[in-house]
Amino acid sequence: MGQTISFQPVRHGAAAQAGGAPAAGPQGPGPGPAQQSAAMPHAPSLPAAPHVADVLGVVVSHVWLNDEYRHLVLEAPEPAPLAQAGQFFNLECPHTAEDKPFLRRPMSLYRADPAYGRVEFLYKVTGVGTRALASIKVGRTMRLLGPLGVGFSIPETAKDIVVLGRGVGLATLAPLAEMAAARGIGVTAILSARSAAMVMSVERFAAIGARIRVVLDTDGSSDPVNVEMLLRDAAAGGRADAFYTCGSNRLMLLMQRIGRELAIPGEVALEQQMACGLGMCFCCVRNFSVDGAVEARRVCTEGPVFPLDEAMPW
Amino acid sequence: MGQTISFQPVRHGAAAQAGGAPAAGPQGPGPGPAQQSAAMPHAPSLPAAPHVADVLGVVVSHVWLNDEYRHLVLEAPEPAPLAQAGQFFNLECPHTAEDKPFLRRPMSLYRADPAYGRVEFLYKVTGVGTRALASIKVGRTMRLLGPLGVGFSIPETAKDIVVLGRGVGLATLAPLAEMAAARGIGVTAILSARSAAMVMSVERFAAIGARIRVVLDTDGSSDPVNVEMLLRDAAAGGRADAFYTCGSNRLMLLMQRIGRELAIPGEVALEQQMACGLGMCFCCVRNFSVDGAVEARRVCTEGPVFPLDEAMPW
Amino acid sequence: MVDAATLHGAGPGPALTIDQTVRIGRLTLRNAVMPASGTFAETLAGIVPFEQLGALVTKTVTPQLRGGNPTPRVCEVGQGMLNAIGIPSKGLDHFVAETLPLYRGVPTPLVASVSALSADAFADAVRRLDVPGVAAIEANISCPNIEEDGKAFAMDPRPTALVVEKMRRATSLPLWVKLSPNTGDVASVARAAEAAGADALVVANTILAMSIDIETFRPRLGNVMGGLSGPAVKPIVVRMVYQCARAVDIPVIGCGGIATAADAVEYMLAGAAAVQVGTATFVRPTAMLTVIDGLVDYCRRKGFARVADLTGAIHDADLTVDTHEAAS
Amino acid sequence: MVDAATLHGAGPGPALTIDQTVRIGRLTLRNAVMPASGTFAETLAGIVPFEQLGALVTKTVTPQLRGGNPTPRVCEVGQGMLNAIGIPSKGLDHFVAETLPLYRGVPTPLVASVSALSADAFADAVRRLDVPGVAAIEANISCPNIEEDGKAFAMDPRPTALVVEKMRRATSLPLWVKLSPNTGDVASVARAAEAAGADALVVANTILAMSIDIETFRPRLGNVMGGLSGPAVKPIVVRMVYQCARAVDIPVIGCGGIATAADAVEYMLAGAAAVQVGTATFVRPTAMLTVIDGLVDYCRRKGFARVADLTGAIHDADLTVDTHEAAS
Ligand SMILES: Cc1cc2nc3c(=O)[nH]c(=O)nc-3n(C[C@H](O)[C@H](O)[C@H](O)COP(=O)(O)OP(=O)(O)OC[C@H]3O[C@@H](n4cnc5c(N)ncnc54)[C@H](O)[C@@H]3O)c2cc1C
Ligand SMILES: Cc1cc2nc3c(=O)[nH]c(=O)nc-3n(C[C@H](O)[C@H](O)[C@H](O)COP(=O)(O)OP(=O)(O)OC[C@H]3O[C@@H](n4cnc5c(N)ncnc54)[C@H](O)[C@@H]3O)c2cc1C
Ligand SMILES: Cc1cc2nc3c(=O)[nH]c(=O)nc-3n(C[C@H](O)[C@H](O)[C@H](O)COP(=O)(O)O)c2cc1C
Ligand SMILES: Cc1cc2nc3c(=O)[nH]c(=O)nc-3n(C[C@H](O)[C@H](O)[C@H](O)COP(=O)(O)O)c2cc1C
Ligand code: FES
Ligand code: FES
């Protein structure tokens, strides 16, 4: 194997923003190929790639959390359980009589447990892929490619962060909150949902001692005006050294506006239809606003976590 | 519904040959469309079609008979259980993880039981379709289109017939033997197989009091020379008013030669890849030799049972 | 064009009576669903009541008797099939004398599919088909033109124009022209057929394909190559219907891989005025009835009063096609 | 041609060492399997050891920076996918300066895929790619020719000949020409490319197709139309490989829906000298390795000493193709 071919995801995001320069995130230092021409124009020899593999996992638990969401726990060999908050896997869904998904489906890491060799996912049963995925029984095997993409990063200097999620986005933020807690960083978690039955992962945020604010459509508390107040409260209370969001365009825009106003760095985890998950097909681009110009980036390799400030509405 | 559109399969075969004119077989009198121009050039109004329907059957039994053959019993609404010996059904096979048959698979009737509303099939697990079919469990439903095609006919004057089958062809001949027995006609059954384990349906031939001759590859008794002797014996003993065969090109040619030599009428049940089973697609043609000319006929509607004398080797 | 999402996106409407009729030139069909040529015959009568179909399209007939191809004539490939039947035909006289009378009394327009080996032979055949009982003629021009070295008429605009002009002069019956997908520029062929006088287009015939048995090293069809049909071709032919419907003003009838009402809706949104169901009938003989019922259910659910309103109701006004993408 | 069934039908042979090398013009490849352009990048290195592949084919690069199409750029359709990426490209200079050096030290021939909007731009691009590290050039001529009103070069023999001739004069590197399946006569295009100096043909790019979401009435791709790839296209492209391999003497590289060794064998029997694996890598990132191993197993089981002996080993000598069947 030529040593020159070894890749790693791009580093950017809240840490980079906060530090003003590429910071050492969990995936190792330095810019990846996409930013390489700017950072170091002629550096063909790159540091070793974080390990990615297509492994066979065994379903050890697979339950309904409510009418729409399922929780899937797999036992899988390394490197899968080494995944970091914000990274994702490309899952090979089974075929059923009705649903025969052709492509894999990307799913955010919900929890990784290297000690027990487990990875967990939380998903909403939506279409062909997730209906088929929902059919898989305990004891069955499935392929998962990962861990993929760039996860969340927390600025070195942060003492307190705010996470704001909605729907399945809450699942993506739960491991971030735990990563923060493990570093002794305080977490304010604003959890938005249609109804009380649709709020997931509260217990995980509670377990790390997060300040939890559940906001619902049913009682109107999920209204942007109220969420804005909660964000400003956190900032005013000195508990908003970084912002993180996932799962809602409207909430992303809100958090972005307040982040800009109050100069709080932030990250957002985005989605886009994918095919390869590996940066090869260029299916998964989203536009970002960088210094006034619009730039397309691949969600799978340059994301799925991006600087909040650069995100554009979808 | 315009009364002018009502079809029925073609009548021909041993009965027609023996009688010298279209005889009243089990499917009703008169020529079908394919022979219509010859028989009655301008008769657009045809007798009512034997009923054909695409019904949902329920699997009531599905067992292995030996390493290769399975026996499938379905409970199915009429007209399915009204099928006659030599007719077939077009079966919608299920999909499995490995095998996803696209087209239906034609299968000869192995037994029909109108009293209990059952139809039975005997099949060899060969490729995509039969592997998938083999996966269907008792209690499951599947669609079957039929009864299709022209079944066997026995000349009015016949007192004794000879059936000669090999492999899965034995399955097709079993209901013919029972039909003969029901009319008080004697049956000599020459059953050819690779080995003793592969001889199927002996008990059904035995139950109707057939004279059974099992010939095997393992002991050399299936050799054409020996089979020819058995056929000549039957003829010499006055027990061969008609010949019937299914399942082997070599045996068909043998029986055809002797039938011609001894002026014994006969029928052969043939196979061909099919798509529609209903005479629409013209996929299933085979060539026949009629008065020195070669004529293509559809196995699904003009057969699958044809005059032995006209069959050509495949 | 109706802004369907705005007007019709409101979910289940009242139990509307849906107008199922569609117009193909001067013919009004009971509904939008008919069999594809070569996948239908009188023998289906016991299973699909013919008076419930929009039209009946017969197997392509040729002027003279033809034998067809060697077997195997069919094999399945993934979710589709290949066929190389080769248009066996008892000839036009037999069709007129024997087949047509069978449909006497069936209250559904009969469309006679015809093919021939030269433009003049086509014109002559069409003239001979202009008889009572034939409601329209479908010209299957995906066949080799002996005057062009065996290249199919429908592969290029010029021979298409020539053969359609000659047919147009030979009959006043509605003339449907069935196009081939085996061309690089179906929209130009469609325009040529329209300009030469076609009343409607059927898009499309089967896609030339091939399969080899890797155990025996033999082609899986006796004719080596054959036509691909079934679900596998749908995205390709939907694209062609979209291209043709934008290129011409005459109705386009969609045909290729339609097995469900959802498939038919997709074709109609792309611009089809009606649809033909082929291979699906082999897999499920009652497929056409399911499509007919499903179109009504869909219209009811989406709030369309007429099935015909689906035609061209795609929302693409804000999008542009980058032809660079024809290629990847 | 080896009579494979006779010589090689004898079942499992001894544990032969199978010669896996194949020759594509003057290049000898380690084995017959390589990625398809646009479905491969450096990021696969951690999963598929590059030194085990026959060649590496990079994503098509254009002379200048290009942005690509709006999203969604992908959707699945049955057992296949549509893409409308639109060839985003950082331009040739970036490719030579940044991408090429990454492959330094990888002992596998690198094939640089290139596209441009005119014959001269193609020639210029090819000249600029004639640098150390590039083992061959794959010209993706399924793109619009601005001098022909946006019609793709590979749709017709004439523009194909023109662009290939100009490229031929611009480089002495092996020149592979990738054909489009969106033409009515791929064999003539193949002959034109050969006559103009192509060293090999890649057959084929994606098939233009389309899908509509019947709930939203929107095309499922931002570009409305896109290219179909994956298992669904295999029977169509196998047919094109067969036609091209019979039409030319230069090697044909098969590409379209290959996911298993059986698929690769089918392409090679049809006449392919090597194969490219595209979409299958998205579904199973290690698919190419499975194909490589499976080709060896197949050769062993069937008694072929060399993978290259599979090329053209179809048994079709006794069969004739009735072109009437192009049509049904
Ligand atoms: C990085 C990443 C992480 C994700 N994490 C999760 C997760 O943790 N839990 C979860 O439930 N879902 C997650 N998704 C979305 C998931 O991949 C599926 O798209 C979604 O579950 C619907 O898939 P489906 O097959 O059921 O529906 P489909 O029938 O395939 O699609 C339903 C709708 O979703 C759209 N869609 C399909 N794929 C995507 C995609 N990749 N991104 C955006 N839209 C898409 C389709 O166009 C369609 O409109 C994630 C997506 C990405 C890109
Ligand atoms: C009228 C009729 C009655 C039949 N009755 C029986 C029966 O009672 N029991 C039984 O086991 N089989 C019967 N067959 C054969 C059966 O339809 C299947 O072809 C066979 O079981 C193999 O199918 P498969 O899907 O498992 O194999 P495939 O993988 O589809 O095919 C295996 C091989 O069989 C060939 N083949 C496929 N379909 C046919 C066909 N219809 N006729 C001839 N060759 C074919 C294929 O080309 C291939 O070489 C009958 C066929 C016909 C036409
Ligand atoms: C077995 C078979 C025979 C066919 N015969 C004809 C024919 O005679 N004339 C014709 O125009 N099309 C013929 N076709 C093409 C169909 O009419 C139709 O265009 C094609 O199959 C695509 O539709 P589908 O995917 O719904 O089958 C035939 C198709 C099949 C599968
Ligand atoms: C996402 C995607 C991107 C592609 N990009 C290119 C490209 O840049 N250049 C090219 O010549 N072909 C491109 N192709 C076509 C493939 O190289 C290949 O020809 C086609 O996908 C058929 O092979 P497959 O079925 O194995 O995918 C692309 C295909 C896909 C699916
Ligand atoms: S999914 Fe292929 S590049 Fe992102
Ligand atoms: S199977 Fe269609 S005509 Fe016989």
Side-chain angles (χ1 to χ4, degrees), chain C residues 14 22 37 67 98 106 133 142 174 187 207 225 233 245 279 292 294-295 302 321:
Chain C
V22 299
S37 176
E98 307 297 335
V106 179
S142 317
I207 304 182
M225 300 181 203
V233 307
T279 304
I292 292 168
L295 277 175
K302 288 293 202 177
V321 184

Side-chain angles (χ1 to χ4, degrees), chain B residues 42 86 122 141 143 199 245 258 262 272 282:
Chain B
H42 291 282
L122 193 154
T141 58
R143 297 203 155 261
V199 194
T245 186
I258 297 173
L262 305 178
Q272 180 59 284
F282 289 83

Side-chain angles (χ1 to χ4, degrees), chain D residues 280-298:
Chain D
T281 298
F282 300 165
V283 175
R284 190 63 70 92
T286 51
M288 285 186 283
L289 302 178
T290 317
V291 174
I292 292 168
D293 293 345
L295 278 174
V296 172
D297 292 344
Y298 177 86

Side-chain angles (χ1 to χ4, degrees), chain B residues 69 86 88 101 105-109 121-131 168 171-172 270-274 286 299 304, chain C residues 72 74 76 213 220:
Chain B
Y69 291 93
F88 71 100
R105 293 297 188 272
M107 287 289 162
S108 297
L109 179 74
F121 301 96
L122 193 154
Y123 64 94
K124 183 170 171 183
V125 179
T126 311
V128 175
T130 47
R131 276 198 307 266
V168 87
T172 307
L270 295 176
E271 296 190 1
Q272 180 59 284
Q273 271 94 329
M274 290 186 178
R286 281 204 176 277
V299 171
Chain C
V74 61
E76 61 181 35
D213 184 328
R220 289 172 65 205

Side-chain angles (χ1 to χ4, degrees), chain B residues 96-161:
Chain B
T96 68
E98 296 78 33
D99 295 302
K100 311 199 189 304
F102 177 69
L103 295 169
R104 293 192 177 204
R105 293 297 188 272
M107 287 289 162
S108 297
L109 179 74
Y110 181 52
R111 191 188 330 237
D113 188 336
Y116 286 84
R118 292 187 171 188
V119 277
E120 307 184 15
F121 301 96
L122 193 154
Y123 64 94
K124 183 170 171 183
V125 179
T126 311
V128 175
T130 47
R131 276 198 307 266
L133 188 58
S135 75
I136 200 166
K137 301 264 186 302
V138 169
R140 288 298 172 127
T141 58
M142 60 181 284
R143 297 203 155 261
L144 59 163
L145 174 70
L148 298 170
V150 184
F152 291 108
S153 62
I154 305 177
E156 295 287 340
T157 53
K159 296 269 170 291
D160 255 294
I161 65 170

Side-chain angles (χ1 to χ4, degrees), chain D residues 229-295:
Chain D
S229 63
V233 308
K234 195 184 70 171
I236 302 171
V237 185
V238 166
R239 179 264 297 179
M240 293 188 174
V241 165
Y242 178 78
Q243 291 178 312
C244 291
R246 287 156 65 108
V248 300
D249 291 323
I250 54 177
V252 174
I253 299 166
C255 175
I258 297 173
T260 65
D263 298 331
V265 169
E266 192 174 348
Y267 269 97
M268 294 189 76
L269 295 178
V275 294
Q276 294 186 346
V277 175
T279 303
T281 298
F282 300 165
V283 175
R284 190 63 70 92
T286 51
M288 285 186 283
L289 302 178
T290 317
V291 174
I292 292 168
D293 293 345
L295 278 174

Side-chain angles (χ1 to χ4, degrees), chain A residues 275 280-283, chain C residues 325 327-328, chain D residues 35-39 57-61 73-74 81-88 113-115 138-142 178-179 202-207 227-234 237 254-259 267 276-282:
Chain A
M280 304 191 294
C281 71
F282 288 82
C283 289
Chain C
E325 193 36 42
S328 293
Chain D
S37 175
T39 66
V57 184
T58 51
K59 168 86 185 161
T60 299
V61 64
R73 289 180 169 187
V74 62
M81 63 175 272
L82 300 185
N83 87 78
I85 310 294
I87 316 202
S113 170
V114 66
S115 189
E138 182 176 296
N140 174 5
I141 62 165
S142 317
K178 183 163 178 181
L179 303 188
V202 180
V203 178
N205 216 307
T206 53
I207 303 182
L228 179 64
S229 63
V233 308
K234 195 184 70 171
V237 185
C255 175
I258 297 173
Y267 269 97
Q276 294 186 346
V277 175
T279 303
T281 298
F282 300 165

Side-chain angles (χ1 to χ4, degrees), chain A residues 74-284:
Chain A
L74 297 167
E75 225 165 79
E78 294 203 354
L82 303 175
Q84 300 289 327
Q87 288 191 298
F88 70 100
F89 288 83
N90 220 1
L91 304 188
E92 190 175 274
C93 305
H95 282 194
T96 68
E98 296 77 34
D99 295 302
K100 309 196 191 306
F102 176 68
L103 295 170
R104 292 192 177 203
R105 294 297 188 273
M107 287 289 161
S108 296
L109 179 74
Y110 182 52
R111 189 188 330 238
D113 187 337
Y116 287 84
R118 293 188 170 187
V119 278
E120 307 184 14
F121 302 95
L122 193 154
Y123 64 94
K124 181 171 173 184
V125 179
T126 311
V128 175
T130 47
R131 277 198 307 267
L133 188 57
S135 76
I136 200 166
K137 301 263 186 302
V138 169
R140 288 299 172 127
T141 58
M142 60 181 285
R143 296 203 157 262
L144 59 162
L145 173 70
L148 298 170
V150 183
F152 292 107
S153 61
I154 306 177
E156 296 286 341
T157 53
K159 296 268 170 292
D160 256 294
I161 65 170
V162 179
V163 306
L164 168 61
R166 185 171 165 93
V168 88
L170 298 173
T172 307
L173 295 170
L176 166 66
E178 285 163 359
M179 178 170 102
R183 299 202 202 153
I185 296 169
V187 177
T188 301
I190 309 175
L191 314 178
S192 173
R194 277 210 318 280
S195 67
M198 296 293 151
V199 193
M200 288 156 304
S201 317
V202 189
E203 68 298 345
R204 287 183 62 187
F205 291 102
I208 57 134
R211 305 163 61 97
I212 298 170
R213 302 287 176 267
V214 172
V215 298
L216 302 174
D217 298 356
T218 41
D219 63 10
S221 57
S222 64
D223 189 273
V225 175
N226 187 46
V227 175
E228 175 163 352
M229 208 187 63
L230 294 175
L231 289 177
R232 290 191 185 277
D233 275 359
R239 293 185 306 275
D241 300 328
F243 275 172
Y244 298 88
T245 186
C246 183
S248 157
N249 184 37
R250 208 175 52 164
L251 295 181
M252 183 278 285
L253 286 174
L254 173 64
M255 202 175 218
Q256 189 180 57
R257 177 165 53 81
I258 297 172
R260 283 177 187 157
E261 183 189 321
L262 305 179
I264 298 167
E267 291 183 333
V268 56
L270 296 176
E271 296 190 2
Q272 180 59 284
Q273 271 95 329
M274 291 186 178
C276 71
L278 283 169
M280 304 191 294
C281 71
F282 288 82
C283 289
C284 65

